[in-house]
Amino acid sequence: MKFWHSLQFTGTGDLLSLARTVERETPFHGVFLGDHLVHPEHVLSTYPNTSDGRPGWPAATHWPDLGATMGAIVAATHRLEVTTSIMVLPLRHPIVVAKMLATLSVLSDRRVSLGIGVGWMEDEFRALGVDFHTRGRRCDEMIDVMRLLWSGEMTEFNGEFFEFPRLASNPKPLEPVPLYVSGFSRASMRRAVEKGDGWISGNTAPERVLEALPVITRMLADAGRDDGSFELIVTAKPDLEFLKRLRDLGVTSVFSYPHAERYARTPTAREITDDLLRYSESIIEKLGS
């Protein structure tokens, strides 16, 4: 089982020193970043992971550009892997995302992957002039476009949302960049099984995760993908017994997520470092023994 630590809800200026601390002082496999492009003054959409439907972080929370931040982290480290949980993929154009990831793959020697989802904040889509209601179909098509472009060869595409004549995009990644799909809906799980390299549970109640794991496992078996090539990634709090149960259920990676009270303010670098070291000692070292 691999362990990843969240660098969300962190001051942008602290990110590189924290990434170096993760690499040098802990056995974490990697770090992950979150994604929002804007924070509307009045968020009208319902946030799915709180009881009152409101996001728990203030507008001043940092959501740094993913491409720039991933590039800076891999340049500042040597072994650490970097991913996202999650990039709101349908807010972007697939040619731009494919180019970003291919470049990062080469520069990092394959230390990047991408967790993707369709997003929940309709207000954000409206601000960018992107149709919220077709985001699922557009996400499916975007994955197809990116995988085509990663060949580095001349290719063309004619879909519902994206169309281009024969063209090539280089550099191509050293190998196809792993794409992990997040979400509990049947459509999200289908997308993960049919088009992804893994599934991310997202930050939710343990009971919901335990209900979903048999479903995604069965879908993988039905699709002939139960050969160990698919990542099952669960976002979980540092509960040793629960994590042991997840390991026994075939979970391959755990995303360590900050407690909800941390959303309301930006923690200090010292607080995050203490969290990292505490998690390493109380969870990773014990599960590895």
Side-chain angles (χ1 to χ4, degrees):
M1 183 181 277
K2 295 178 290 189
F3 292 88
W4 304 67
H5 199 279
S6 171
L7 289 183
Q8 295 183 66
F9 309 106
T10 301
T12 303
D14 292 328
L15 286 171
L16 298 188
S17 62
L18 286 169
R20 294 188 191 103
T21 298
V22 175
E23 176 168 80
R24 295 170 182 170
E25 301 183 30
T26 79
F28 276 97
H29 177 78
V31 294
F32 65 94
L33 302 161
D35 181 38
H36 281 292
L37 295 177
V38 295
H39 187 106
E41 182 176 11
H42 302 291
V43 178
L44 303 180
S45 304
T46 300
Y47 180 57
N49 293 328
T50 57
S51 58
D52 62 5
R54 292 186 296 179
W57 56 87
T61 299
H62 288 200
W63 299 96
D65 176 79
L66 289 177
T69 307
M70 293 172 81
I73 290 174
V74 296
T77 58
H78 301 285
R79 68 162 180 87
L80 209 62
E81 298 209 5
V82 186
T83 193
T84 57
S85 184
I86 50 80
M87 174 190 273
V88 185
L89 189 63
L91 283 175
R92 295 162 167 92
H93 195 286
I95 294 179
V96 176
V97 179
K99 174 70 75 174
M100 178 193 86
L101 289 168
T103 305
L104 286 168
S105 171
V106 174
L107 293 176
S108 70
D109 191 19
R110 294 174 283 249
R111 287 190 288 133
V112 295
S113 54
L114 193 72
I116 61 174
V118 298
W120 61 273
M121 192 189 293
E122 184 173 357
D123 320 65
E124 192 172 21
F125 279 74
R126 191 177 301 114
L128 274 80
V130 179
D131 184 5
F132 180 76
H133 301 288
T134 59
R135 68 196 190 284
R137 300 201 312 276
R138 196 162 60 255
C139 186
D140 285 342
E141 205 166 280
M142 291 179 74
I143 295 172
D144 294 340
V145 169
M146 291 192 295
R147 293 202 186 280
L148 276 176
L149 293 173
W150 286 336
S151 72
E153 304 295 331
M154 285 291 169
T155 187
E156 60 187 324
F157 192 85
N158 187 3
E160 179 182 1
F161 302 100
F162 304 101
E163 180 178 356
F164 49 81
R166 287 178 61 78
L167 51 76
S169 178
N170 281 289
K172 68 178 183 179
L174 299 181
E175 58 189 28
V177 178
L179 298 175
Y180 309 133
V181 179
S182 178
F184 283 89
S185 69
R186 287 285 178 154
S188 295
M189 290 186 176
R190 172 201 56 76
R191 184 173 299 116
V193 169
E194 294 181 0
K195 296 180 179 291
D197 302 291
W199 174 75
I200 304 174
S201 73
N203 183 31
T204 191
E207 296 78 14
R208 195 178 185 196
V209 172
L210 294 175
E211 291 174 359
L213 283 172
V215 176
I216 191 79
T217 300
R218 186 167 56 252
M219 293 173 72
L220 287 166
D222 291 344
R225 296 202 61 186
D226 54 346
D227 58 355
S229 64
F230 189 91
E231 286 259 17
L232 289 174
I233 305 166
V234 170
T235 303
K237 297 297 189 292
D239 180 329
L240 186 60
E241 293 307 311
F242 180 60
L243 294 175
K244 287 179 179 177
R245 188 173 180 185
L246 293 178
R247 181 182 60 186
D248 294 341
L249 290 171
V251 170
T252 57
S253 284
V254 171
F255 282 180
S256 171
Y257 208 76
H259 291 286
E261 59 268 20
R262 285 285 177 84
Y263 299 1
R265 65 177 178 84
T266 300
T268 66
R270 183 70 258 172
E271 287 175 319
I272 298 173
T273 300
D274 289 344
D275 284 349
L276 285 165
L277 299 177
R278 190 181 306 113
Y279 193 101
S280 298
E281 294 173 0
S282 64
I283 301 295
I284 301 178
E285 291 177 12
K286 291 183 178 180
L287 277 175
S289 61

